[in-house]
Amino acid sequence: MTDSTTDPIVLVVDDERGLADLYAAWLSGRYTTRIAYDGDGALDQLDADISIVLLDRQMPGFSGDAVLEEIERREIGCQIAMVTAVEPDFDIIEMGFDDYLCKPVSQDDIVETVESLLDRQDYEEALSELFSAVSKKAALTEQKPPEELAANRDYQNLLGRIEALETQTHQLVTEMDSLDAAAVFRQLDLGPADESNE
């Protein structure tokens, strides 16, 4: 789960008001929720504070697919789960969502999906920070002699940060189930070398 000092914000978007309210109620107490009953309302509420969007596809006017495209255009770094009665077809391959749930869904489905997406988000953030730190280490070791590196406090702090991030990413990936881990690797183009077709 995220270790943010503030509760993650989940935006629930569904033109069926009863369902939108129900999903938000299921998540209340765990997360801060916002509700939009159509695509235009969703766009009005989209900002950098949103962590997760639960997005219906079939809505009159501005559809869920159009909302998804707008989220990508605005480069809002949130995770998105389509929660829809539309059965998946090949058109979803190029769509930028993170999970796909077919209605009807249960409270467990909604809660577990949000938790899973937050775990993925934490992993991606930690992995990105790890890559940045390792790149800095590589640049410095190429240019500086070992004795200067050993004597530099900032460099030693960097090594400690790399070790901590390696531990964090390992812990996060072990907490995710195998499907979540595979999804993260696919998203980051870091598929395991021993992938099989079994």
Side-chain angles (χ1 to χ4, degrees), residues 9 18 21 44 54 92 100 111 126 190:
I9 297 175
D21 293 342
D44 290 341
L54 301 180
I92 71 169
Y100 198 99
V111 172
L190 293 173

Side-chain angles (χ1 to χ4, degrees), residues 87-103:
E87 293 186 3
D89 205 342
F90 294 113
D91 64 329
I92 71 169
I93 292 173
E94 299 301 322
M95 296 173 67
F97 60 79
D98 302 285
D99 208 341
Y100 198 99
L101 301 180
C102 288
K103 296 176 181 177

Side-chain angles (χ1 to χ4, degrees), residues 28-63:
S28 65
R30 293 180 173 91
Y31 311 105
T32 300
T33 57
R34 299 181 188 175
I35 302 174
Y37 300 116
D38 56 35
D40 291 320
L43 296 183
D44 290 341
Q45 298 205 49
L46 281 174
D47 57 42
D49 294 331
I50 300 290
S51 300
I52 305 289
V53 179
L54 301 180
L55 182 60
D56 186 24
R57 288 189 73 179
Q58 282 187 322
M59 295 185 291
F62 211 75
S63 71

Side-chain angles (χ1 to χ4, degrees), residues 10-14 19-20 23-24 27 33-37 52 54:
V10 181
L11 174 61
V12 179
V13 185
D14 201 306
L19 280 181
Y23 298 162
L27 295 169
T33 57
R34 299 181 188 175
I35 302 174
Y37 300 116
I52 305 289
L54 301 180

Side-chain angles (χ1 to χ4, degrees), residues 156-176:
Q156 296 306 312
N157 288 340
L158 176 66
L159 295 182
R161 183 61 184 150
I162 289 171
E163 184 176 350
L165 285 165
E166 287 174 340
T167 299
Q168 182 184 358
T169 54
H170 177 73
Q171 180 178 350
L172 284 167
V173 81
T174 55
E175 289 172 357
M176 292 187 287

